[in-house]
Amino acid sequence: MNTSDSRPQGALAGIRVLDISRILGGPYCGQILGDHGADVLKVEPPQGDDTRTWGPPFKDGVASYYHGLNRNKRSMHLDLGSTQGREALLALVAEADVLIENFKTGTMERWGMGYGELSRRFPRLVWCRVTGFGSDGPLGALPGYDAAVQAMAGIMSINGEAEGGPLRVGLPVVDMVTGLNAVIGVLLALQERQRSGRGQFVEAALYDSGLSLLHPHAANWFLDGNSPRRTGNAHPNIYPYDTLATGTQPLFIAVGNDRQFASLCRCIGVPQLASDARYARAGDRSVNRVALKAALEEAMQDFDGAALVDTLMAAGVPAAPVLSVDAALSHPHTAHREMVVDLPGGYRGIGAPVKLSRTPATYRHAPLTPGTSFEG
C-alpha cells in the first residue's frame, strides 16, 4: 500500500488543485487527482460540505459519505459570500494550476470571479466546472442531481426487471462518471497546456455523462429505432449474459462467443445444446433466450454454485458468484489488488483503480486534514 512519501512521486506531483466543489462529482475528481500526486486544497464554506451530514454512519460528527470522497486533500473554510473570503480565494487561485467548482451557473461571475475574468488574470489556469445540465440550452443552469438525471437520461427506463418499473441504479453512477469525465478533461487540458502555455475551461455535465452511459441501448436504438426495454440482469444483445440459478447460489455467467457457450454446455453436462440450431450462434441464443435460460438452469440445478464457478473459470467461461458489498471488500483478490486503503486514525476507503508502474497512486492525507495553503 503506497502510504509513504518515501515512495515514488505520483504522476501529477507538482500540480496544484484548488477544489471548491461540493457533494460528489467535483470532490471525486479532486480525490482522484490527489491520489495521483496533485497537491489538492479543498475550500469549504464555514458550515462545511453538505455531505458531512449525509449519514449515518458518522465518525466524529462527519458522515462516511464525505470521508469516501475527500482523501488526499487538505481542507480549509472560507466564506465566499464575504469580500475577505473572496480575496483569500483569489490569492489561492493565483498559485493553482487547476480550479474545480460546481456552483450554480452565474455564482462565480456574480462574485467577480468568472472564467472570463480569472482566465485573463491567470492564463495558465485550467478551470473545471461540474454542472447538472451545462450553462445554456433548454435545461441550462438548472440544478442536477444523480437520480434525477438517471431518470431524464433514460437510465432508469432500462434498469430493473422486465416486468417491473423503472429503477434507479443503486449507486450514484451519473455523479461518479461525471467526476471521471472531469478528471479526463483536466488531464487533457493540462496536456494541451504543455503545448500552448494556456489553460482552458473544462465542463463535465451530469446530463451529458448520463447519456454517455447508454451503450449499447443507444446504439441499438440508432440502428433499429426500437425503444430499449428492461431485461433485468440479462444483457440486451447477447445470451447467456445473466444471473442463473444453481442448486445452491445464483451465478452470473457472461458468455460472449460461441466457443465459450460450447465450454459452458460441456461443463454442465449438456454439450448437445451447443449444436442445437436455436442456440448455436450468438444471435440465435439472444432471440431464444427464454427457452435457453430454462434449459441451462435445469442442467445446473444439481451443481453447487461455488464449485461450478471454479470449473467454469478454469474452462475459460466468465462466471462469478453474486457477492454482497462486505464480501466483495473482504475478498482476497481485493487485498491483492490493493483496493482497500487504510490510513492512520482509522480511515478506510476504496483504493485507486488505475495502476501506474513508475508513479503509482499514494495515500498521504486522510479526509479532514487541515491546510490553508499549497504545499512546497
PDB file of all heavy atoms in Angstrom, residues 74-105:
ATOM      1  N   ARG A  74      -6.153  18.591   1.688  1.00  0.00           N
ATOM      2  CA  ARG A  74      -6.135  19.327   2.952  1.00  0.00           C
ATOM      3  C   ARG A  74      -7.259  20.349   2.870  1.00  0.00           C
ATOM      4  O   ARG A  74      -7.507  20.917   1.814  1.00  0.00           O
ATOM      5  CB  ARG A  74      -4.778  19.978   3.182  1.00  0.00           C
ATOM      6  CG  ARG A  74      -3.677  18.919   3.475  1.00  0.00           C
ATOM      7  CD  ARG A  74      -2.280  19.489   3.491  1.00  0.00           C
ATOM      8  NE  ARG A  74      -2.016  20.195   2.260  1.00  0.00           N
ATOM      9  CZ  ARG A  74      -1.819  21.519   2.175  1.00  0.00           C
ATOM     10  NH1 ARG A  74      -1.886  22.262   3.278  1.00  0.00           N
ATOM     11  NH2 ARG A  74      -1.580  22.092   1.019  1.00  0.00           N
ATOM     12  N   SER A  75      -7.944  20.549   3.972  1.00  0.00           N
ATOM     13  CA  SER A  75      -9.199  21.296   3.947  1.00  0.00           C
ATOM     14  C   SER A  75      -9.120  22.576   4.768  1.00  0.00           C
ATOM     15  O   SER A  75      -8.467  22.628   5.817  1.00  0.00           O
ATOM     16  CB  SER A  75     -10.345  20.427   4.494  1.00  0.00           C
ATOM     17  OG  SER A  75     -10.490  19.256   3.730  1.00  0.00           O
ATOM     18  N   MET A  76      -9.812  23.595   4.272  1.00  0.00           N
ATOM     19  CA  MET A  76      -9.944  24.855   4.986  1.00  0.00           C
ATOM     20  C   MET A  76     -11.338  25.417   4.741  1.00  0.00           C
ATOM     21  O   MET A  76     -12.076  24.911   3.887  1.00  0.00           O
ATOM     22  CB  MET A  76      -8.879  25.866   4.522  1.00  0.00           C
ATOM     23  CG  MET A  76      -9.009  26.246   3.056  1.00  0.00           C
ATOM     24  SD  MET A  76      -7.747  27.436   2.503  1.00  0.00           S
ATOM     25  CE  MET A  76      -8.207  28.884   3.458  1.00  0.00           C
ATOM     26  N   HIS A  77     -11.705  26.452   5.473  1.00  0.00           N
ATOM     27  CA  HIS A  77     -13.027  27.054   5.355  1.00  0.00           C
ATOM     28  C   HIS A  77     -12.891  28.522   4.971  1.00  0.00           C
ATOM     29  O   HIS A  77     -12.074  29.247   5.536  1.00  0.00           O
ATOM     30  CB  HIS A  77     -13.788  26.936   6.682  1.00  0.00           C
ATOM     31  CG  HIS A  77     -14.051  25.527   7.104  1.00  0.00           C
ATOM     32  ND1 HIS A  77     -15.210  24.856   6.800  1.00  0.00           N
ATOM     33  CD2 HIS A  77     -13.293  24.656   7.800  1.00  0.00           C
ATOM     34  CE1 HIS A  77     -15.161  23.637   7.287  1.00  0.00           C
ATOM     35  NE2 HIS A  77     -14.002  23.492   7.908  1.00  0.00           N
ATOM     36  N   LEU A  78     -13.699  28.942   4.000  1.00  0.00           N
ATOM     37  CA  LEU A  78     -13.779  30.350   3.613  1.00  0.00           C
ATOM     38  C   LEU A  78     -15.239  30.702   3.353  1.00  0.00           C
ATOM     39  O   LEU A  78     -15.974  29.900   2.761  1.00  0.00           O
ATOM     40  CB  LEU A  78     -12.973  30.632   2.340  1.00  0.00           C
ATOM     41  CG  LEU A  78     -11.442  30.641   2.444  1.00  0.00           C
ATOM     42  CD1 LEU A  78     -10.838  30.851   1.057  1.00  0.00           C
ATOM     43  CD2 LEU A  78     -10.952  31.697   3.413  1.00  0.00           C
ATOM     44  N   ASP A  79     -15.619  31.875   3.743  1.00  0.00           N
ATOM     45  CA  ASP A  79     -16.947  32.396   3.420  1.00  0.00           C
ATOM     46  C   ASP A  79     -16.825  33.194   2.130  1.00  0.00           C
ATOM     47  O   ASP A  79     -16.428  34.364   2.142  1.00  0.00           O
ATOM     48  CB  ASP A  79     -17.455  33.283   4.555  1.00  0.00           C
ATOM     49  CG  ASP A  79     -18.837  33.859   4.268  1.00  0.00           C
ATOM     50  OD1 ASP A  79     -19.430  33.500   3.224  1.00  0.00           O
ATOM     51  OD2 ASP A  79     -19.300  34.676   5.076  1.00  0.00           O
ATOM     52  N   LEU A  80     -17.169  32.574   1.019  1.00  0.00           N
ATOM     53  CA  LEU A  80     -17.010  33.238  -0.273  1.00  0.00           C
ATOM     54  C   LEU A  80     -18.078  34.294  -0.501  1.00  0.00           C
ATOM     55  O   LEU A  80     -18.009  35.040  -1.483  1.00  0.00           O
ATOM     56  CB  LEU A  80     -17.024  32.198  -1.399  1.00  0.00           C
ATOM     57  CG  LEU A  80     -15.891  31.168  -1.328  1.00  0.00           C
ATOM     58  CD1 LEU A  80     -15.954  30.227  -2.533  1.00  0.00           C
ATOM     59  CD2 LEU A  80     -14.534  31.839  -1.238  1.00  0.00           C
ATOM     60  N   GLY A  81     -19.062  34.361   0.363  1.00  0.00           N
ATOM     61  CA  GLY A  81     -20.032  35.439   0.297  1.00  0.00           C
ATOM     62  C   GLY A  81     -19.491  36.748   0.836  1.00  0.00           C
ATOM     63  O   GLY A  81     -20.116  37.799   0.671  1.00  0.00           O
ATOM     64  N   SER A  82     -18.299  36.695   1.448  1.00  0.00           N
ATOM     65  CA  SER A  82     -17.692  37.897   2.012  1.00  0.00           C
ATOM     66  C   SER A  82     -16.530  38.356   1.146  1.00  0.00           C
ATOM     67  O   SER A  82     -15.886  37.560   0.455  1.00  0.00           O
ATOM     68  CB  SER A  82     -17.179  37.621   3.432  1.00  0.00           C
ATOM     69  OG  SER A  82     -16.042  36.766   3.396  1.00  0.00           O
ATOM     70  N   THR A  83     -16.260  39.658   1.191  1.00  0.00           N
ATOM     71  CA  THR A  83     -15.131  40.210   0.434  1.00  0.00           C
ATOM     72  C   THR A  83     -13.822  39.593   0.895  1.00  0.00           C
ATOM     73  O   THR A  83     -12.961  39.241   0.069  1.00  0.00           O
ATOM     74  CB  THR A  83     -15.078  41.740   0.617  1.00  0.00           C
ATOM     75  OG1 THR A  83     -16.294  42.310   0.135  1.00  0.00           O
ATOM     76  CG2 THR A  83     -13.906  42.335  -0.148  1.00  0.00           C
ATOM     77  N   GLN A  84     -13.663  39.419   2.186  1.00  0.00           N
ATOM     78  CA  GLN A  84     -12.432  38.835   2.723  1.00  0.00           C
ATOM     79  C   GLN A  84     -12.237  37.401   2.228  1.00  0.00           C
ATOM     80  O   GLN A  84     -11.133  37.008   1.855  1.00  0.00           O
ATOM     81  CB  GLN A  84     -12.464  38.870   4.253  1.00  0.00           C
ATOM     82  CG  GLN A  84     -11.199  38.351   4.914  1.00  0.00           C
ATOM     83  CD  GLN A  84     -11.281  38.414   6.433  1.00  0.00           C
ATOM     84  OE1 GLN A  84     -12.333  38.715   6.998  1.00  0.00           O
ATOM     85  NE2 GLN A  84     -10.176  38.141   7.105  1.00  0.00           N
ATOM     86  N   GLY A  85     -13.324  36.631   2.220  1.00  0.00           N
ATOM     87  CA  GLY A  85     -13.232  35.252   1.751  1.00  0.00           C
ATOM     88  C   GLY A  85     -12.862  35.174   0.282  1.00  0.00           C
ATOM     89  O   GLY A  85     -12.042  34.336  -0.134  1.00  0.00           O
ATOM     90  N   ARG A  86     -13.447  36.050  -0.531  1.00  0.00           N
ATOM     91  CA  ARG A  86     -13.138  36.035  -1.963  1.00  0.00           C
ATOM     92  C   ARG A  86     -11.701  36.478  -2.228  1.00  0.00           C
ATOM     93  O   ARG A  86     -11.032  35.931  -3.128  1.00  0.00           O
ATOM     94  CB  ARG A  86     -14.133  36.900  -2.723  1.00  0.00           C
ATOM     95  CG  ARG A  86     -15.549  36.346  -2.702  1.00  0.00           C
ATOM     96  CD  ARG A  86     -16.446  37.025  -3.704  1.00  0.00           C
ATOM     97  NE  ARG A  86     -16.682  38.430  -3.401  1.00  0.00           N
ATOM     98  CZ  ARG A  86     -17.651  38.874  -2.608  1.00  0.00           C
ATOM     99  NH1 ARG A  86     -18.460  38.006  -1.990  1.00  0.00           N
ATOM    100  NH2 ARG A  86     -17.827  40.170  -2.401  1.00  0.00           N
ATOM    101  N   GLU A  87     -11.220  37.430  -1.468  1.00  0.00           N
ATOM    102  CA  GLU A  87      -9.833  37.863  -1.636  1.00  0.00           C
ATOM    103  C   GLU A  87      -8.865  36.738  -1.275  1.00  0.00           C
ATOM    104  O   GLU A  87      -7.857  36.532  -1.956  1.00  0.00           O
ATOM    105  CB  GLU A  87      -9.565  39.096  -0.777  1.00  0.00           C
ATOM    106  CG  GLU A  87     -10.252  40.357  -1.295  1.00  0.00           C
ATOM    107  CD  GLU A  87     -10.062  41.547  -0.367  1.00  0.00           C
ATOM    108  OE1 GLU A  87      -9.565  41.341   0.767  1.00  0.00           O
ATOM    109  OE2 GLU A  87     -10.421  42.672  -0.776  1.00  0.00           O
ATOM    110  N   ALA A  88      -9.185  36.000  -0.223  1.00  0.00           N
ATOM    111  CA  ALA A  88      -8.344  34.869   0.156  1.00  0.00           C
ATOM    112  C   ALA A  88      -8.361  33.793  -0.929  1.00  0.00           C
ATOM    113  O   ALA A  88      -7.326  33.179  -1.238  1.00  0.00           O
ATOM    114  CB  ALA A  88      -8.815  34.294   1.492  1.00  0.00           C
ATOM    115  N   LEU A  89      -9.541  33.571  -1.517  1.00  0.00           N
ATOM    116  CA  LEU A  89      -9.631  32.587  -2.583  1.00  0.00           C
ATOM    117  C   LEU A  89      -8.810  33.019  -3.795  1.00  0.00           C
ATOM    118  O   LEU A  89      -8.104  32.200  -4.399  1.00  0.00           O
ATOM    119  CB  LEU A  89     -11.087  32.367  -2.977  1.00  0.00           C
ATOM    120  CG  LEU A  89     -11.301  31.304  -4.067  1.00  0.00           C
ATOM    121  CD1 LEU A  89     -10.971  29.917  -3.521  1.00  0.00           C
ATOM    122  CD2 LEU A  89     -12.740  31.328  -4.582  1.00  0.00           C
ATOM    123  N   LEU A  90      -8.885  34.280  -4.165  1.00  0.00           N
ATOM    124  CA  LEU A  90      -8.120  34.771  -5.308  1.00  0.00           C
ATOM    125  C   LEU A  90      -6.627  34.579  -5.097  1.00  0.00           C
ATOM    126  O   LEU A  90      -5.891  34.265  -6.053  1.00  0.00           O
ATOM    127  CB  LEU A  90      -8.441  36.243  -5.562  1.00  0.00           C
ATOM    128  CG  LEU A  90      -9.738  36.529  -6.300  1.00  0.00           C
ATOM    129  CD1 LEU A  90     -10.022  38.029  -6.317  1.00  0.00           C
ATOM    130  CD2 LEU A  90      -9.681  35.981  -7.727  1.00  0.00           C
ATOM    131  N   ALA A  91      -6.162  34.757  -3.890  1.00  0.00           N
ATOM    132  CA  ALA A  91      -4.745  34.541  -3.605  1.00  0.00           C
ATOM    133  C   ALA A  91      -4.361  33.083  -3.842  1.00  0.00           C
ATOM    134  O   ALA A  91      -3.254  32.786  -4.315  1.00  0.00           O
ATOM    135  CB  ALA A  91      -4.437  34.956  -2.168  1.00  0.00           C
ATOM    136  N   LEU A  92      -5.270  32.171  -3.521  1.00  0.00           N
ATOM    137  CA  LEU A  92      -5.017  30.751  -3.764  1.00  0.00           C
ATOM    138  C   LEU A  92      -5.091  30.421  -5.253  1.00  0.00           C
ATOM    139  O   LEU A  92      -4.293  29.631  -5.770  1.00  0.00           O
ATOM    140  CB  LEU A  92      -6.013  29.896  -2.980  1.00  0.00           C
ATOM    141  CG  LEU A  92      -5.887  29.960  -1.457  1.00  0.00           C
ATOM    142  CD1 LEU A  92      -7.071  29.268  -0.790  1.00  0.00           C
ATOM    143  CD2 LEU A  92      -4.575  29.339  -0.992  1.00  0.00           C
ATOM    144  N   VAL A  93      -6.055  31.024  -5.970  1.00  0.00           N
ATOM    145  CA  VAL A  93      -6.174  30.795  -7.411  1.00  0.00           C
ATOM    146  C   VAL A  93      -4.884  31.199  -8.113  1.00  0.00           C
ATOM    147  O   VAL A  93      -4.445  30.548  -9.074  1.00  0.00           O
ATOM    148  CB  VAL A  93      -7.374  31.566  -7.998  1.00  0.00           C
ATOM    149  CG1 VAL A  93      -7.392  31.469  -9.518  1.00  0.00           C
ATOM    150  CG2 VAL A  93      -8.682  31.024  -7.432  1.00  0.00           C
ATOM    151  N   ALA A  94      -4.251  32.259  -7.646  1.00  0.00           N
ATOM    152  CA  ALA A  94      -3.014  32.739  -8.266  1.00  0.00           C
ATOM    153  C   ALA A  94      -1.915  31.687  -8.229  1.00  0.00           C
ATOM    154  O   ALA A  94      -1.005  31.703  -9.074  1.00  0.00           O
ATOM    155  CB  ALA A  94      -2.546  34.009  -7.559  1.00  0.00           C
ATOM    156  N   GLU A  95      -1.986  30.746  -7.284  1.00  0.00           N
ATOM    157  CA  GLU A  95      -0.964  29.708  -7.155  1.00  0.00           C
ATOM    158  C   GLU A  95      -1.392  28.384  -7.773  1.00  0.00           C
ATOM    159  O   GLU A  95      -0.596  27.445  -7.844  1.00  0.00           O
ATOM    160  CB  GLU A  95      -0.642  29.478  -5.684  1.00  0.00           C
ATOM    161  CG  GLU A  95      -0.115  30.695  -4.943  1.00  0.00           C
ATOM    162  CD  GLU A  95       0.184  30.357  -3.489  1.00  0.00           C
ATOM    163  OE1 GLU A  95       0.885  29.353  -3.250  1.00  0.00           O
ATOM    164  OE2 GLU A  95      -0.299  31.079  -2.606  1.00  0.00           O
ATOM    165  N   ALA A  96      -2.654  28.276  -8.196  1.00  0.00           N
ATOM    166  CA  ALA A  96      -3.212  26.986  -8.621  1.00  0.00           C
ATOM    167  C   ALA A  96      -2.994  26.727 -10.108  1.00  0.00           C
ATOM    168  O   ALA A  96      -2.961  27.652 -10.921  1.00  0.00           O
ATOM    169  CB  ALA A  96      -4.701  26.930  -8.295  1.00  0.00           C
ATOM    170  N   ASP A  97      -2.891  25.451 -10.439  1.00  0.00           N
ATOM    171  CA  ASP A  97      -2.922  25.009 -11.832  1.00  0.00           C
ATOM    172  C   ASP A  97      -4.338  24.687 -12.271  1.00  0.00           C
ATOM    173  O   ASP A  97      -4.696  24.871 -13.437  1.00  0.00           O
ATOM    174  CB  ASP A  97      -2.056  23.755 -12.008  1.00  0.00           C
ATOM    175  CG  ASP A  97      -0.589  24.011 -11.746  1.00  0.00           C
ATOM    176  OD1 ASP A  97       0.070  24.631 -12.594  1.00  0.00           O
ATOM    177  OD2 ASP A  97      -0.119  23.608 -10.661  1.00  0.00           O
ATOM    178  N   VAL A  98      -5.134  24.171 -11.324  1.00  0.00           N
ATOM    179  CA  VAL A  98      -6.482  23.681 -11.630  1.00  0.00           C
ATOM    180  C   VAL A  98      -7.444  24.211 -10.578  1.00  0.00           C
ATOM    181  O   VAL A  98      -7.148  24.180  -9.378  1.00  0.00           O
ATOM    182  CB  VAL A  98      -6.534  22.140 -11.642  1.00  0.00           C
ATOM    183  CG1 VAL A  98      -7.945  21.636 -11.932  1.00  0.00           C
ATOM    184  CG2 VAL A  98      -5.545  21.568 -12.656  1.00  0.00           C
ATOM    185  N   LEU A  99      -8.595  24.676 -11.021  1.00  0.00           N
ATOM    186  CA  LEU A  99      -9.704  25.050 -10.143  1.00  0.00           C
ATOM    187  C   LEU A  99     -10.879  24.143 -10.458  1.00  0.00           C
ATOM    188  O   LEU A  99     -11.291  24.032 -11.618  1.00  0.00           O
ATOM    189  CB  LEU A  99     -10.095  26.510 -10.368  1.00  0.00           C
ATOM    190  CG  LEU A  99     -11.361  26.995  -9.645  1.00  0.00           C
ATOM    191  CD1 LEU A  99     -11.131  27.050  -8.146  1.00  0.00           C
ATOM    192  CD2 LEU A  99     -11.804  28.356 -10.177  1.00  0.00           C
ATOM    193  N   ILE A 100     -11.424  23.482  -9.442  1.00  0.00           N
ATOM    194  CA  ILE A 100     -12.620  22.649  -9.607  1.00  0.00           C
ATOM    195  C   ILE A 100     -13.757  23.311  -8.849  1.00  0.00           C
ATOM    196  O   ILE A 100     -13.628  23.604  -7.652  1.00  0.00           O
ATOM    197  CB  ILE A 100     -12.413  21.229  -9.044  1.00  0.00           C
ATOM    198  CG1 ILE A 100     -11.185  20.555  -9.661  1.00  0.00           C
ATOM    199  CG2 ILE A 100     -13.648  20.366  -9.294  1.00  0.00           C
ATOM    200  CD1 ILE A 100     -10.805  19.245  -8.975  1.00  0.00           C
ATOM    201  N   GLU A 101     -14.878  23.555  -9.525  1.00  0.00           N
ATOM    202  CA  GLU A 101     -16.033  24.154  -8.851  1.00  0.00           C
ATOM    203  C   GLU A 101     -17.325  23.617  -9.458  1.00  0.00           C
ATOM    204  O   GLU A 101     -17.353  23.160 -10.596  1.00  0.00           O
ATOM    205  CB  GLU A 101     -15.978  25.685  -8.918  1.00  0.00           C
ATOM    206  CG  GLU A 101     -15.939  26.270 -10.314  1.00  0.00           C
ATOM    207  CD  GLU A 101     -17.302  26.657 -10.841  1.00  0.00           C
ATOM    208  OE1 GLU A 101     -18.316  26.534 -10.118  1.00  0.00           O
ATOM    209  OE2 GLU A 101     -17.364  27.065 -12.015  1.00  0.00           O
ATOM    210  N   ASN A 102     -18.378  23.667  -8.669  1.00  0.00           N
ATOM    211  CA  ASN A 102     -19.692  23.247  -9.173  1.00  0.00           C
ATOM    212  C   ASN A 102     -20.796  24.143  -8.618  1.00  0.00           C
ATOM    213  O   ASN A 102     -21.889  23.682  -8.301  1.00  0.00           O
ATOM    214  CB  ASN A 102     -19.972  21.769  -8.864  1.00  0.00           C
ATOM    215  CG  ASN A 102     -19.965  21.453  -7.372  1.00  0.00           C
ATOM    216  OD1 ASN A 102     -19.630  22.273  -6.540  1.00  0.00           O
ATOM    217  ND2 ASN A 102     -20.331  20.211  -7.048  1.00  0.00           N
ATOM    218  N   PHE A 103     -20.489  25.433  -8.529  1.00  0.00           N
ATOM    219  CA  PHE A 103     -21.514  26.382  -8.101  1.00  0.00           C
ATOM    220  C   PHE A 103     -22.574  26.546  -9.177  1.00  0.00           C
ATOM    221  O   PHE A 103     -22.332  26.291 -10.363  1.00  0.00           O
ATOM    222  CB  PHE A 103     -20.885  27.743  -7.788  1.00  0.00           C
ATOM    223  CG  PHE A 103     -20.081  27.772  -6.523  1.00  0.00           C
ATOM    224  CD1 PHE A 103     -18.700  27.745  -6.561  1.00  0.00           C
ATOM    225  CD2 PHE A 103     -20.713  27.806  -5.290  1.00  0.00           C
ATOM    226  CE1 PHE A 103     -17.959  27.765  -5.395  1.00  0.00           C
ATOM    227  CE2 PHE A 103     -19.980  27.832  -4.110  1.00  0.00           C
ATOM    228  CZ  PHE A 103     -18.591  27.806  -4.166  1.00  0.00           C
ATOM    229  N   LYS A 104     -23.727  27.010  -8.765  1.00  0.00           N
ATOM    230  CA  LYS A 104     -24.785  27.326  -9.713  1.00  0.00           C
ATOM    231  C   LYS A 104     -24.269  28.330 -10.732  1.00  0.00           C
ATOM    232  O   LYS A 104     -23.548  29.269 -10.385  1.00  0.00           O
ATOM    233  CB  LYS A 104     -25.996  27.891  -8.971  1.00  0.00           C
ATOM    234  CG  LYS A 104     -27.191  28.175  -9.858  1.00  0.00           C
ATOM    235  CD  LYS A 104     -28.360  28.706  -9.035  1.00  0.00           C
ATOM    236  CE  LYS A 104     -29.549  29.026  -9.933  1.00  0.00           C
ATOM    237  NZ  LYS A 104     -30.700  29.563  -9.142  1.00  0.00           N
ATOM    238  N   THR A 105     -24.617  28.106 -12.004  1.00  0.00           N
ATOM    239  CA  THR A 105     -24.155  28.981 -13.073  1.00  0.00           C
ATOM    240  C   THR A 105     -24.463  30.442 -12.739  1.00  0.00           C
ATOM    241  O   THR A 105     -25.585  30.786 -12.367  1.00  0.00           O
ATOM    242  CB  THR A 105     -24.819  28.596 -14.402  1.00  0.00           C
ATOM    243  OG1 THR A 105     -24.473  27.240 -14.711  1.00  0.00           O
ATOM    244  CG2 THR A 105     -24.349  29.507 -15.528  1.00  0.00           C
TER     245      THR A 105
END
